[in-house]
Amino acid sequence: MIHYLLQRPIAVLLSFIVLCIFGLIALNLLPISLLPDVDVPQIVVKVSYPNTAAEALEARIIRPLRETLTGIPGLKDIESRSSNHRGIIYLAFEYNTKMDLAYIEVNERIDRLSAQFPRDMPRPQTTRINTSDIPIVRLQVTPKIQEDFVQISDLVDKLIKRRLEQLEGISIVDINGLQQTNIAIEPHREVLQALHVSENDLAQTIQAANLDFGGLSVRDGNYQYFVKVSNGFESIADIGRLPVPTTSGLSVPLAKLATIRSIAEPPSGYHLFNGQPALGITIQKQAASRMNELVPRIQNLVKQFEKDYPQANFALTQDQTYLLNAGINNLYQDLMYGGILAVLVLFLFLGNYASSGLMSLNIPISLIITFALFYVLGISLNIISLSGLALGIGMLIDNSIIVLDSITRKRREGMAMLASCERGISEVVTPVLSQVLTTVAVYAPLILLPGLAGLLVYDQAIALTISLGVSLVVAFILSPLLYKLFLGNKPQSIKEDTRFYLWILAGYHRMIQFIFQRKILFFSITCLFGLLAFWLFPKIPIANLPKVEKRETLVKIDWQTPLSVEENVQRVQKLDRVLASSAVSREAEVGIPQFLLASADQSIQQAQVYYACKNQSEKESLDQKAKAWLQKTYPGASFQFEDASNAFTQLFNASNPYFEIRLRPANGHYNAAILEGLKASMPSFPLPNPQLGLGIAKEPSIKLLVDAEKMALYGVDWNNLQEKFRLLFGHYPITELRKFSGAQQMHFTSEKGKIDDLLQQGITTSHGNTLPIAAFVKYELDEMPKYITADKSGKYVALSLDENSPQIAQAKTKILHWANQHGFTAGFSGNYFEGLQNSHALFKIFLISLLLLYFILALQFENLIQPLLVMLTIPLGVTGALLLLYLQQGALDIMAAIGFVVVLGIIVDDPILKVEVINRLLKLYESSGMSRRQALEKAIHDAGDISLKPLLMTSLTTSLALVPVLFTPGIGSDLQKPMVFVIIGGLTIGTFFTTWFIPLAYWFITKKK
């Protein structure tokens, strides 16, 4: 095949040119996004039912929903949390579940259950979670005059949102902070009592006048006309003219019985921007759109908004494209600086500059063709796939180095050009192919990781595999052809080695000679160095993600008191004035957010405050200042400061407790006494500092005590009393008026006051008398659950432990015994158990990788012992990587783990080539008549001579291609630094030890044969 292709240079060159052109075209067509389009197997169901207590919401809505959804195929876990006004259900599915079908099934089951829900409750919202749902940017709209907020809300909802959605590439535009106008009816109770008219009479009159007759038509001969019946409501004055019948037989206009006005509906949540009420708009992109082109179009549209709508201020915040730009910039840095360093290494070792140039061409050609395959396989350019390419850049040149070095050696031996190419390739095709396969064999099994990590690493594994595969084709076909075309000069004129390399080669031979005189000593030293990893590993801290510069903070606040949303806003605005001194941007979600895609649960007395600073030092200083202010001003509030997550980190941030104990009464009955007994038993808990879960929290409430006997005595109707309660304490909707350029809610409103004053309102008895409600209803202060938590097995209360708690692994038996002593059953959940599952999965993947390595090497060597010899170099690479990571005070995180995988795949490359060459030379020398010992010594010596240059060049080019990451600022470089330290440490320190370990080990296992 090689002979055939080398004889047809035009066909081969044109084929690669076409592939490169297609790759450049594909590069402009590839989707560009932050993350791969991964369907996370989670669905969130949100229930909103204002003025409903947590207990009532759990009993009437959440529990029936939870029980109905539990039987969905593929469901792994279901959890719910009920709070006042709203509830939320989290459904987690197995990762092989078809989420399209699961989403349809969830909605169908909700629809079948909807007949049991209260008629005035909105339909529960269902949301699927996808990595492309992460907002790429936020648009802040602030009215220049706060009195125009309702008008600006209408503008945003009806115009700005639609204009944004019309941009090509945008999928969802989500809004928080909208305010709407409703029609409020405030009855004149003294007049109603005098005329013996109730609020229910007013409601029935309005509802009757607002009837929708649906589709009517009339036939007139051969013509048919549709008939529309109008209620005649063109203004509030028209509503006021509605006649309300009285008991005397007369009709009174509604305007004389009640005050009718259009008011801004008090929202259950607010969005604040820089301390002012605003509208927050999150913008999500389509999976196939190019993010780096979409955001500039959004910026241009916002500039047009500023001209078209001068009554509002516009600002873009939390732009996530900087993450993508960082990834792209890192790739460019690796290409440019790393490529330059790699080429310099080639020139440093190779006296033939043309050969160096041909080898360096492998990088751009392989990358361009890789983009074409990206397009064919439907892979986008994202942080994950780009990091795979960045990992492979230094390795792309390795195959060409080995192939061209082998061809050059054959030319130096006097062989013809075509024969040199054929023979040179044939001698290294097995080790080069084996090197690529071993790298892929180590990396590819990572896609078996459970959960989101396995889905995300898929793009990285595919990117690395494709780029290495393409570089292999370029090295075996294009590089020899270009060598034949441009280096067809006489063998004697080829300058193979530089003085620098000859100096290193001489030193290498002196080192090997010195070591072979002390074989046992250096073999023992090398083995002890490999075992050093067991000492280093526990010394290095474990982290989730690398340390990057943090300039943004998110503060989660629970005021721990049943305050109104307006009071919540005032408190957050006070905090905002504290933050304004140093923060460059501030946002807050106060109360219940309106975002459709918000999966977080937040109640009226809670708030989330976000702020960004110029640098990390200012952020840390402001964090301390804000904490001190909150502790001093609101000592009863609970708050949590955390680094604001971006689109990358929020996927890996675990919201679940580290170790959670879910307690349920053994008899199945929940009451206040059981929960109080649980609190009292906490001092005897077997582990220190357990955190009480949400299900134990309570908040003040008012209990109304109704005297049923007295009501029956005076003839007070229960339904009438219920209507009074709804009017005084709740939300009393009348009807929906589809006029005034949209639908408006019409409801009763009343003056708010102290409960004693409200209970003095009158209620009509069956005898026509009016008595105060207080005559039949008393009240007392009480407490009610603030949250109700539940899972598949029903309600539970939780305790949690953090990762610093001692002896967690041995605590389960003690906790179960403690729970049984106090009348509870206990279940366990949390990230600790997910970590155990991931650890077991990683161990299995590691075994699979080792088996694949052994299988590939055994096939190559036709030997069962020599693969073990090669694999013994893995501990050396791991120890070198750990040593440099320890010296740099790094941590074992996700990126460092990827670096270890790369080291495992590359550290065996030189041993593979060296063992292959020793085997070939040993057979050659023994066939020429040498003794076994002489042939072995000469084969080891000559194999080192042949393998040293490719070893040094491949190791240095791979390492130096990553060096620019250490000296370039930005989040992209910060994310990759742990990986770079691991790779450089493994390929320099580890490779240094393998240079003599392989000859020594080969000597010991073969000398007696």
Side-chain angles (χ1 to χ4, degrees):
M1 175 63 73
I2 298 298
H3 179 83
Y4 175 82
L5 294 175
L6 291 177
Q7 294 292 343
R8 287 160 178 78
I10 295 178
V12 173
L13 289 175
L14 287 178
S15 298
F16 276 94
I17 291 173
V18 169
L19 287 174
C20 289
I21 292 174
F22 183 59
L24 292 174
I25 295 173
L27 181 59
N28 293 319
L29 298 176
L30 285 173
I32 299 178
S33 57
L34 285 170
L35 294 164
D37 184 25
V38 174
D39 224 1
V40 182
Q42 295 178 16
I43 294 177
V44 178
V45 180
K46 292 184 289 185
V47 176
S48 177
Y49 194 21
N51 299 307
T52 306
E55 286 183 312
L57 193 66
E58 166 68 19
R60 298 178 62 185
I61 312 297
I62 301 300
R63 186 178 67 186
L65 272 175
R66 191 175 61 246
E67 293 173 351
T68 299
L69 298 175
T70 298
I72 295 178
L75 184 67
K76 180 181 178 182
D77 193 16
I78 182 171
E79 294 189 24
S80 67
R81 183 187 305 163
S82 303
S83 59
N84 298 333
H85 311 286
R86 66 180 304 175
I88 191 165
I89 302 175
Y90 301 94
L91 295 96
F93 293 83
E94 300 291 346
Y95 273 86
N96 57 355
T97 304
K98 294 182 179 180
M99 292 308 299
D100 292 336
L101 299 179
Y103 183 74
I104 294 173
E105 178 75 13
V106 169
N107 281 282
E108 287 179 348
R109 295 197 178 206
I110 291 175
D111 290 337
R112 288 199 295 267
L113 198 65
S114 59
Q116 304 179 23
F117 298 154
R119 296 184 60 184
D120 59 337
M121 189 193 85
R123 184 191 184 279
Q125 298 174 349
T126 56
T127 305
R128 285 176 60 183
I129 298 179
N130 190 287
T131 53
S132 61
D133 291 335
I134 298 172
I136 60 174
V137 70
R138 285 190 172 209
L139 174 60
Q140 310 291 336
V141 183
T142 309
K144 292 183 177 178
I145 302 174
Q146 283 295 320
E147 287 74 14
D148 296 338
F149 201 99
V150 175
Q151 290 77 11
I152 298 298
S153 291
D154 194 55
L155 174 71
V156 168
D157 191 32
K158 295 179 178 178
L159 291 178
I160 293 177
K161 178 182 178 182
R162 293 180 182 177
R163 291 182 66 177
L164 286 168
E165 289 173 337
Q166 289 171 357
L167 276 181
E168 183 181 358
I170 287 181
S171 63
I172 297 176
V173 176
D174 210 356
I175 307 174
N176 185 31
L178 287 172
Q179 293 186 16
Q180 299 175 339
T181 57
N182 286 345
I183 298 175
I185 311 292
E186 185 176 348
H188 300 158
R189 291 186 174 84
E190 294 80 4
V191 178
L192 294 181
Q193 290 176 7
L195 297 175
H196 300 287
V197 177
S198 68
E199 289 87 351
N200 192 38
D201 294 331
L202 300 184
Q204 291 179 358
T205 299
I206 297 171
Q207 291 167 358
N210 193 41
L211 283 178
D212 185 1
F213 290 91
L216 301 176
S217 64
V218 62
R219 190 180 184 93
D220 183 9
N222 293 328
Y223 299 94
Q224 182 173 348
Y225 302 93
F226 287 101
V227 178
K228 180 180 180 182
V229 180
S230 175
N231 55 28
F233 295 156
E234 299 295 337
S235 66
I236 289 179
D238 294 333
I239 301 174
R241 285 191 287 269
L242 277 177
V244 180
T246 65
T247 55
S248 62
L250 300 176
S251 295
V252 180
L254 179 61
K256 293 187 177 181
L257 302 178
T259 299
I260 308 170
R261 64 182 188 274
S262 178
I263 63 172
E265 178 68 14
S268 56
Y270 286 85
H271 176 79
L272 303 182
F273 177 61
N274 289 340
Q276 297 298 318
L279 293 116
I281 305 174
T282 61
I283 302 172
Q284 282 87 22
K285 65 177 283 293
Q286 295 175 358
S289 62
R290 297 172 65 87
M291 182 174 169
N292 61 329
E293 298 176 359
L294 179 58
V295 172
R297 291 203 298 268
I298 296 174
Q299 294 170 343
N300 293 332
L301 185 58
V302 171
K303 291 179 181 178
Q304 189 63 41
F305 288 162
E306 294 173 346
K307 297 178 181 178
D308 296 342
Y309 313 116
Q311 64 270 40
N313 294 318
F314 298 88
L316 289 171
T317 61
Q318 300 190 44
D319 184 356
Q320 298 296 308
T321 53
Y322 80 99
L323 280 174
L324 183 65
N325 293 334
I328 294 175
N329 289 338
N330 280 139
L331 182 61
Y332 288 159
Q333 290 167 2
D334 286 340
L335 276 172
M336 184 170 60
Y337 300 119
I340 291 172
L341 290 174
V343 172
L344 289 177
V345 169
L346 298 180
F347 283 104
L348 195 62
F349 286 90
L350 295 176
N352 191 332
Y353 296 157
S355 296
S356 303
L358 292 180
M359 292 177 184
S360 59
L361 281 176
N362 201 319
I363 294 178
I365 293 174
S366 298
L367 279 177
I368 292 171
I369 299 176
T370 297
F371 292 137
L373 294 176
F374 269 30
Y375 181 78
V376 172
L377 296 176
I379 298 176
S380 66
L381 292 178
N382 53 70
I383 293 177
I384 305 300
S385 60
L386 287 177
S387 64
L389 291 180
L391 281 176
I393 283 176
M395 293 181 275
L396 295 181
I397 202 172
D398 294 352
N399 299 326
S400 289
I401 290 174
I402 297 173
V403 170
L404 294 183
D405 181 72
S406 179
I407 294 174
T408 302
R409 285 186 175 275
K410 297 305 173 185
R411 288 284 287 149
R412 294 284 295 176
E413 293 174 4
M415 297 180 66
M417 173 60 75
L418 186 60
S420 298
C421 293
E422 294 178 7
R423 184 68 179 274
I425 293 173
S426 64
E427 287 188 357
V428 297
V429 64
T430 301
V432 169
L433 184 61
S434 180
Q435 289 174 3
V436 173
L437 289 177
T438 52
T439 302
V440 174
V442 170
Y443 204 88
L446 285 178
I447 64 176
L448 300 176
L449 276 172
L452 184 62
L455 295 176
L456 289 177
V457 82
Y458 175 82
D459 272 26
Q460 192 175 56
I462 294 298
L464 184 63
T465 302
I466 290 174
S467 60
L468 290 180
V470 171
S471 72
L472 194 65
V473 174
V474 173
F476 283 149
I477 298 176
L478 184 61
S479 294
L481 179 62
L482 295 177
Y483 187 94
K484 176 175 175 291
L485 293 177
F486 295 102
L487 292 175
N489 49 344
K490 296 180 180 180
Q492 292 78 10
S493 62
I494 299 177
K495 184 181 178 183
E496 183 182 4
D497 302 323
T498 61
R499 292 182 180 178
F500 176 73
Y501 172 69
L502 293 175
W503 175 74
I504 292 178
L505 182 62
Y508 168 77
H509 287 309
R510 289 194 299 270
M511 179 185 71
I512 292 297
Q513 184 178 4
F514 179 81
I515 291 173
F516 262 68
Q517 293 173 355
R518 301 162 180 83
K519 297 184 185 70
I520 297 178
L521 173 62
F522 277 90
F523 187 82
S524 302
I525 291 174
T526 308
C527 292
L528 290 175
F529 178 79
L531 296 175
L532 184 63
F534 293 99
W535 181 83
L536 287 171
F537 183 78
K539 301 289 184 181
I540 302 176
I542 298 175
N544 192 12
L545 286 173
K547 292 182 179 179
V548 298
E549 186 183 22
K550 303 289 187 179
R551 296 180 294 176
E552 302 165 313
T553 295
L554 184 68
V555 188
K556 297 179 180 179
I557 305 173
D558 189 333
W559 301 110
Q560 298 291 345
T561 182
L563 46 78
S564 66
V565 69
E566 290 77 16
E567 173 63 21
N568 195 347
V569 169
Q570 293 180 12
R571 294 187 177 190
V572 172
Q573 286 178 327
K574 292 178 182 178
L575 174 61
D576 183 82
R577 288 192 283 271
V578 175
L579 301 174
S581 59
S582 301
V584 296
S585 177
R586 293 107 54 206
E587 297 179 40
E589 312 298 343
V590 183
I592 300 175
Q594 298 171 345
F595 288 128
L596 293 175
L597 297 181
S599 59
D601 185 21
Q602 189 169 308
S603 62
I604 286 180
Q605 65 265 24
Q606 294 176 325
Q608 289 191 7
V609 180
Y610 161 89
Y611 56 89
C613 299
K614 295 180 181 178
N615 51 57
Q616 184 166 341
S617 61
E618 289 189 7
K619 169 195 173 301
E620 293 173 350
S621 175
L622 189 58
D623 287 349
Q624 296 301 320
K625 182 178 179 181
K627 286 179 184 178
W629 184 86
L630 283 170
Q631 290 171 346
K632 179 180 179 181
T633 311
Y634 300 103
S638 64
F639 49 86
Q640 178 182 354
F641 281 71
E642 60 185 44
D643 296 324
S645 58
N646 52 50
F648 183 74
T649 59
Q650 74 182 61
L651 283 174
F652 296 95
N653 284 343
S655 58
N656 298 325
Y658 180 72
F659 189 99
E660 187 176 57
I661 305 104
R662 296 182 176 180
L663 301 172
R664 296 178 175 87
N667 57 11
H669 300 294
Y670 281 87
N671 55 53
I674 288 180
L675 295 181
E676 290 301 322
L678 176 62
K679 290 182 180 179
S681 62
M682 291 310 299
S684 62
F685 189 77
L687 290 180
N689 303 322
Q691 302 296 317
L692 299 178
L694 295 175
I696 300 178
K698 291 186 175 183
E699 64 180 1
S701 64
I702 294 176
K703 180 190 292 185
L704 297 178
L705 306 174
V706 180
D707 191 337
E709 294 182 0
K710 199 171 184 180
M711 286 179 60
L713 179 65
Y714 285 90
V716 176
D717 184 61
W718 274 98
N719 292 329
N720 194 9
L721 182 62
Q722 184 179 2
E723 295 296 326
K724 284 290 184 180
F725 284 162
R726 290 178 62 193
L727 179 62
L728 295 175
F729 305 115
H731 183 74
Y732 195 146
I734 301 174
T735 186
E736 185 178 70
L737 190 61
R738 296 190 175 275
K739 290 290 183 179
F740 311 118
S741 302
Q744 282 186 300
Q745 297 291 332
M746 189 181 300
H747 60 84
F748 282 122
T749 186
S750 62
E751 295 182 2
K752 302 299 180 183
K754 295 182 178 180
I755 188 170
D756 292 303
D757 298 333
L758 294 175
L759 292 180
Q760 294 303 315
Q761 299 287 340
I763 187 170
T764 304
T765 68
S766 59
H767 308 294
N769 299 322
T770 301
L771 297 175
I773 298 175
F776 309 99
V777 178
K778 305 297 180 184
Y779 74 92
E780 63 182 26
L781 297 179
D782 195 13
E783 286 186 330
M784 62 185 299
K786 191 173 182 179
Y787 300 98
I788 297 177
T789 52
D791 57 15
K792 282 185 177 181
S793 302
K795 292 195 296 184
Y796 66 85
V797 292
L799 305 175
S800 62
L801 302 168
D802 59 28
E803 57 270 23
N804 298 319
S805 299
Q807 298 180 342
I808 283 183
Q810 297 81 24
K812 287 181 63 175
T813 304
K814 295 180 181 179
I815 293 173
L816 287 171
H817 179 70
W818 173 85
N820 291 332
Q821 280 185 329
H822 295 87
F824 290 93
T825 61
F828 300 93
S829 179
N831 296 324
Y832 170 78
F833 299 97
E834 293 182 10
L836 288 179
Q837 181 184 359
N838 291 335
S839 298
H840 294 155
L842 282 172
F843 180 72
K844 293 178 182 177
I845 289 171
F846 181 71
L847 290 180
I848 292 173
S849 299
L850 290 180
L851 289 174
L852 286 174
L853 275 176
Y854 182 83
F855 179 74
I856 293 170
L857 296 175
L859 289 178
Q860 176 186 348
F861 298 138
E862 281 293 328
N863 188 289
L864 298 179
I865 302 298
Q866 291 179 358
L868 298 176
L869 170 65
V870 172
M871 294 173 66
L872 284 175
T873 60
I874 291 177
L876 301 177
V878 171
T879 303
L882 287 173
L883 181 59
L884 186 58
L885 195 64
Y886 174 75
L887 295 176
Q888 293 295 326
Q889 298 180 347
L892 293 170
D893 50 46
I894 292 175
M895 301 306 292
I898 294 174
F900 278 106
V901 171
V902 175
V903 169
L904 293 182
I906 299 177
I907 194 66
V908 297
D909 288 354
D910 173 61
I912 290 173
L913 179 61
K914 188 169 290 185
V915 171
E916 177 73 19
V917 173
I918 293 175
N919 287 339
R920 177 168 54 84
L921 294 179
L922 184 60
K923 292 179 181 178
L924 178 64
Y925 295 154
E926 283 185 330
S927 63
S928 65
M930 289 186 182
S931 66
R932 178 73 177 182
R933 186 180 184 91
Q934 289 176 334
L936 180 59
E937 290 180 351
K938 184 171 177 56
I940 290 175
H941 181 276
D942 292 348
D945 195 1
I946 294 172
S947 304
L948 182 62
K949 188 194 298 181
L951 164 68
L952 294 176
M953 288 194 293
T954 54
S955 298
L956 289 176
T957 52
T958 302
S959 301
L960 291 178
L962 298 173
V963 167
V965 175
L966 303 178
F967 301 98
T968 51
I971 187 172
S973 296
D974 290 341
L975 285 172
Q976 295 191 64
K977 281 180 181 177
M979 177 188 69
V980 173
F981 284 132
V982 168
I983 294 176
I984 292 177
L987 295 187
T988 53
I989 302 174
T991 301
F992 175 71
F993 278 89
T994 62
T995 55
W996 70 70
F997 177 76
I998 290 299
L1000 283 176
Y1002 195 96
W1003 170 272
F1004 283 121
I1005 66 173
T1006 60
K1007 66 176 182 177
K1008 294 181 180 180
K1009 289 185 179 179

